[in-house]
Structures are given as C-alpha cells and as structure tokens.
Amino acid sequence: MTETTSGGIAVSMYTRRSFLAASAAAVATVGVGTTTSSARSAPRRRIRITREDHRVVVIGTGFGGGVAALRLAQAGVDVTVLERGRRWQTGPNSTTFPNATNPDKRILWHGSNPRLFGRTMIFDPYVGLLEAVIGANMTALCAAGVGGGSLVYQGMTLQPDEAVFNANFPQRLDWQRMNRIHYPRVARMLRLSTAPDELIDSAPYRAPRVFARRARAAGLPVAKIPMPIDWNYALAELRGKMAPSYTDGSGALGVNNGGKHSVDVTYIAAAEATGRATVHTLHTVTGIRRGLRNTWIVSVDRTDLTGRVLEHKELTTQAVFLGAGSINTTKLLLRADAHDTIQDLPDKLGQGWGTNADRIYTWTSPDDDFGLVQGGPVVYGSKNWSNPSSAFTVIQASMPPNPIGPKTTMLVGYGVSRRRGHLTFDSRLNDAVLHWPHEGDSVIQNAQIGPTVRKIAGPSGILIDTNGIEPSTWHPLGGASMGTVCDLEGRVYGQRGLYVVDGALMPGNSAACNPSMTIAAVAERALDNIVARDLGTHF
C-alpha cells in the first residue's frame, strides 16, 4: 500500500493530485458573510435604507436556523428568517445545481476566497453554494442558500452513542432524554432511511460493496448509514425514468432530481406552512447591535444574484437567533464585539473552534473495479466507537463522474480530536480571521483514521490524503461554544434575547459523527426550553 502526501511531488503528479483533491473535496459534502466580490467595485451610488420592526429574527436556514424557525412559528411567534443565498429548486430531471467536475459560477459565493478544492476558480460574481474561508493552516467551507449545509452535504445522519456523547458534550444535555425525544424528532423530520439492497446490488454500486467487503475482512464494523433520502428516486434512475443524479455520483453539490430531505424542504417548508415564518432570500447580515429597551438591531444588505447591494435594511427585533454556521455566526459576534455594538460579550468568544477531524482520501485499488460510474451518495460506513476518547468513523463516498478511471473511489473519516483553533478580529480587514494549529488533528489522524483507511485499502492500495495537500473541513464547529460563550440552550451569556443555535454552539467536534443530526437535536432541545421559559418574557 502506498500513501502519498504533499512533499516532493513532481509537476505531473501534482496536476493529477490537484484534480483528485478537487473531486474528493466536492464529494465529501458540509450564513452570512462579508462580501468582497468585484460587484463591490462599482462606482458609489445612493442605496436606500429601510427600517422595519420584527418580533424575532432568525439568521440562516441550515439545521439550527431551520429548527428555530419551525419551532418558534409553531409556538405562535411571527418569525423573520434571513438567508444570504437563493432557493435551489429541485425535481426530476432538473439542472439546478452545478456539476462537481465541471463547475460554473453556481458553485462559488461571490464573497468567497476564489481558491476552492486546491485550485483558483474565477467566475462572474454569483450567490453560489460555497464560501471558502481560508485561515492559517485550514480552509473552512461554508454553504449558502435556503437549506444551508444540507444542500451540499452527502447526508450521513449519525447519532453518537451515549458513551461517546458524554465524553465530548456536557452531560447536562442528558443524552438519554435526547435519545428519547430530540434525536428521534430529527430523524422523523429528515425521513431517514438506508439504501435498499436492490440498489446496492446494482452495477453502479460496486464501490460500496467493495468497501464493505474490505472493511469486514479487516475486522472492522460495517453498517448501513442512515440518510435523508427517498431511495425510490435512485431506483427510478436505474429504471431510466429520470436522468442520473444519485446513481452516477453527480449529486455531490446538490441532488437535482429531488428526493433528498434537506432543511429547505423539511424544517423551512414546515415553518412557512404555519403562515408565521417568512423567509427573505438574498439578505446578507452585516452587523448586530443593541437597541433601546432590550431590543436588537440587525443590519442587512439586500442584494441581487450577483451580490450587488440593492437596499440597506435595519431590522429592530426582540430576539435574534444566530444560525449562520460556525464561521459566520462567530464572525458576526466578533465584529460586534470589536465595534462595541454589543458590550460585555464573553471572553471566550472565538475560541474552541474545531474541524471535526475531517479527512478525505482518494483510494485507488489495482485489485478492484469500482466502476467508471459510481452510485451514491453514501451506503456503508465503519463506526469505530469502542473508545469514546478516540472514536472515529470512516465511510465510502462515490466519486462524481470523472476521467480518473474505474479503480478510484473516495474514503472519508472524521472523529474526536482535542486540539482547537480560534477566530480573532483583524481591524485592518474588518473581519475575523481563522487560526488553526499546524497538524491540529494529527493525534487521531495518525493513531486511528489513517491506519484504518490503510487497513481497508490493503497492501496494494494507493491512498492520497487530500487534507495533507489542502487542509480543509466541511464541518467547522465551535466559536461560540456551549459552556463558555452560551448556555446549553444557546443563550449568549449576559445578552438577553441573543441566541446561537448552529454549529458555533458545538464544542469543536460532534462525537465521531457528521455534525448535522446533533446540531439539529441540540437545537430541538434548546427550542423546547426557550419556548417554555423565554417566550413571553424575553420576546
């Protein structure tokens, strides 16, 4: 078995590796932000300012924001939901989402750093799906659009077991109660299911079958991974009733055919159906400040599809729920702290940030044929959770259509890692900057995830560790963490009416799981408590 990293690469090999890294990162898919695109370089013009009053404002439409919007609306609260991105409508044979291997402007958020998946992407400004936030030793990938990260994540929906959860989260969250109430509630909302055997036995799904066989032969646990997918769509593709989206791996950056129960078609749709939640797309939040008499003022830029500002808005509200994602929620709070628009924010703001120990590999096997066309998104995984302090998971994910050949597929790992980074505000940039320690996840990578993928690949397998070339995470977590910045329900300490309900609330990891289910379950638990205790008194 050969495993390569970034040192001493010949030019021809680096070209191939860059392509593999780009394809791998696209397959492994996980607000608000500062806009720096060329749309901002136009001559100065007068932009109108609108002032409005709202009872509650929710910022972001991912897992945390979606939960908050729905549960508040069901409690009879009129909710204004702000989303910087657009809606991405899907349906049989639609072409809504960009192609992972031949991307266009739809892939890139107009304010993003243009370096994405190891290469520089220059497109016309657009409210695209992904924002790359590049910091010291790490790139965090942040989603944009109604549904947030659920639009582009593969869909692995894992619940940590009690021992792993308690080793990594405050025990006062009460795993047993969450196991009875909140995790099952999320599972019902997302309509989780595992891939049917009829699909797994079909020709496009050779790669998952090889992974399962290899992992079992290595003595590793193997199980089907719950997914928020109606697999009948994939079966319909097999029968020629729809263009491929699941069965050829092309849904790496959004599933065009539909059937994926992302937040936009579950939590957000249900919130809108109450008649009390209104979603405003193309609304980028630029700041939050204290108003008079226990109110908050949210500053917003309403834009067009290129990011051009059409209107400034000042929304006065009784409560703000931050669901813009770990990076962008933390940035908003750090900016408010630096500009003194929110006084006395907790000292630990910006700290406790982690990557969930994400690791993405391409696996080339001379002994196996994974197929030129690989069905996805995910079927099997190996949950190695016997030691809660070093628990990790490895899954196989399909490659999007590519010219690499039938011998290569994808392995993805994530797990428990103790080291943390932080974000600090840089006044010269008027923005927060990410700092990550070099090789910050090396302990679990070198002791657990790396050796395990080598076992699966076998002695003849060739692994390319894409994180060794371009360190990145689809699962940024922390920055406004529970216990240091917020209480367990996301109330920011000392700030009545200000809540964090997204990945920023997590303690830098999500207990060896993809974080989506735990973010949603923690938000469900939080909203139960907030509705019971704060509704009618705080807002």
Side-chain angles (χ1 to χ4, degrees):
M1 194 283 303
T2 303
E3 182 178 2
T4 54
T5 56
S6 56
I9 304 170
V11 172
S12 59
M13 177 60 77
Y14 184 75
T15 301
R16 180 172 183 269
R17 285 185 174 185
S18 296
F19 179 83
L20 287 168
S23 300
V27 171
T29 65
V30 129
V32 296
T34 301
T35 303
T36 58
S37 72
S38 59
R40 293 294 180 271
S41 61
R44 292 181 64 85
R45 55 193 169 82
R46 293 183 60 130
I47 300 173
R48 71 174 180 175
I49 299 176
T50 303
R51 292 178 173 84
E52 301 172 351
D53 293 326
H54 298 266
R55 185 174 180 187
V56 170
V57 170
V58 174
I59 302 171
T61 57
F63 288 98
V67 170
L70 174 58
R71 302 311 174 197
L72 290 169
Q74 288 177 331
V77 178
D78 290 329
V79 184
T80 298
V81 185
L82 305 178
E83 169 55 52
R84 64 176 177 168
R86 53 164 281 196
R87 292 184 188 265
W88 298 81
Q89 303 288 350
T90 62
N93 302 316
S94 72
T95 57
T96 299
F97 291 107
N99 186 303
T101 54
N102 187 26
D104 55 38
K105 67 181 181 181
R106 292 173 295 173
I107 197 175
L108 195 65
W109 177 252
H110 58 82
S112 174
N113 188 298
R115 187 167 178 80
L116 192 64
F117 308 147
R119 48 185 172 157
T120 299
M121 298 189 180
I122 304 299
F123 301 117
D124 291 336
Y126 192 70
V127 289
L129 282 165
L130 295 175
E131 177 190 14
V133 178
I134 298 181
N137 303 312
M138 183 56 59
T139 295
L141 297 163
C142 309
V146 178
S150 73
L151 295 172
V152 294
Y153 82 144
Q154 289 284 281
M156 296 86 77
T157 309
L158 295 174
Q159 174 185 339
D161 67 21
E162 185 172 10
V164 180
F165 183 93
N166 286 337
N168 294 282
F169 284 89
Q171 293 194 25
R172 288 186 298 116
L173 281 173
D174 192 350
W175 180 90
Q176 292 195 7
R177 185 168 185 272
M178 291 185 66
N179 184 53
R180 291 194 310 272
I181 299 172
H182 303 107
Y183 278 114
R185 189 186 295 170
V186 175
R188 289 191 299 271
M189 285 296 302
L190 300 181
R191 287 169 272 171
L192 300 182
S193 63
T194 57
D197 290 341
E198 177 186 356
L199 186 71
I200 298 171
D201 292 339
S202 67
Y205 285 81
R206 280 178 287 183
R209 298 198 301 270
V210 171
F211 169 83
R213 173 173 55 81
R214 290 279 203 138
R216 290 184 180 116
L220 299 169
V222 175
K224 289 183 178 181
I225 301 297
M227 304 284 285
I229 287 173
D230 181 348
W231 293 100
N232 288 317
Y233 281 71
L235 292 171
E237 292 176 18
L238 282 181
R239 296 166 187 146
K241 296 181 179 180
M242 298 181 195
S245 190
Y246 292 102
T247 53
D248 68 348
S250 63
L253 291 173
V255 179
N256 280 314
N257 280 337
K260 182 181 180 183
H261 307 311
S262 46
V263 173
D264 54 324
V265 297
T266 54
Y267 279 100
I268 293 295
E272 291 178 303
T274 68
R276 290 197 173 271
T278 304
V279 177
H280 298 268
T281 60
L282 306 178
H283 278 57
T284 297
V285 175
T286 59
I288 305 171
R289 67 183 189 270
R290 269 288 185 192
L292 300 175
R293 295 183 295 278
N294 290 321
T295 62
W296 296 95
I297 300 173
V298 181
S299 299
V300 184
D301 284 346
R302 182 174 67 84
T303 75
D304 63 14
L305 291 172
T306 71
R308 180 174 179 263
V309 177
L310 304 177
E311 181 183 15
H312 297 308
K313 289 186 172 184
E314 296 279 295
L315 309 184
T316 299
T317 182
Q318 299 172 42
V320 176
F321 286 77
L322 287 158
S326 165
I327 293 289
N328 287 308
T329 283
T330 304
K331 282 189 171 190
L332 277 173
L333 292 174
L334 285 170
R335 186 178 297 121
D337 182 61
H339 292 173
D340 209 27
T341 60
I342 304 177
Q343 297 180 351
D344 300 320
L345 282 164
D347 292 339
K348 297 292 186 181
L349 177 63
Q351 300 184 30
W353 187 89
T355 69
N356 210 40
D358 279 6
R359 217 73 189 186
I360 304 170
Y361 295 86
T362 58
W363 167 28
T364 300
S365 175
D367 305 325
D368 297 291
D369 184 348
F370 299 119
L372 280 171
V373 176
Q374 297 179 20
V378 170
V379 174
Y380 290 116
S382 178
K383 298 183 288 187
N384 299 272
W385 297 355
S386 59
N387 185 345
S389 64
S390 59
F392 66 99
T393 300
V394 174
I395 62 99
Q396 181 273 333
S398 59
M399 291 282 283
N402 65 79
I404 298 173
K407 298 291 187 178
T408 299
T409 191
M410 202 77 52
L411 297 176
V412 178
Y414 37 78
V416 173
S417 182
R418 300 299 176 194
R419 294 192 73 182
R420 295 290 179 264
H422 62 279
L423 288 92
T424 57
F425 192 80
D426 188 328
S427 59
R428 297 168 301 171
L429 302 174
N430 193 32
D431 200 3
V433 178
L434 174 63
H435 306 270
W436 178 249
H438 178 66
E439 298 291 347
D441 293 321
S442 61
V443 172
I444 192 165
Q445 164 60 20
N446 295 337
Q448 305 293 343
I449 296 175
T452 298
V453 297
R454 288 194 288 273
K455 284 182 182 179
I456 295 169
S460 63
I462 301 169
L463 292 168
I464 295 178
D465 177 3
T466 68
N467 290 75
I469 303 169
E470 290 280 338
S472 64
T473 180
W474 289 90
H475 301 143
L477 297 168
S481 300
M482 59 179 69
T484 57
V485 177
C486 304
D487 69 9
L488 300 186
E489 286 73 43
R491 300 179 186 91
V492 179
Y493 290 132
Q495 305 296 332
R496 177 189 174 103
L498 185 62
Y499 304 85
V500 173
V501 292
D502 58 13
L505 186 61
M506 300 295 105
N509 82 93
S510 57
C513 294
N514 179 296
S516 57
M517 193 176 198
T518 294
I519 290 171
V522 168
E524 289 277 17
R525 177 191 176 280
L527 266 295
D528 280 357
N529 187 295
I530 291 166
V531 167
R533 298 186 180 185
D534 297 5
L535 182 58
T537 58
H538 289 48
F539 59 91

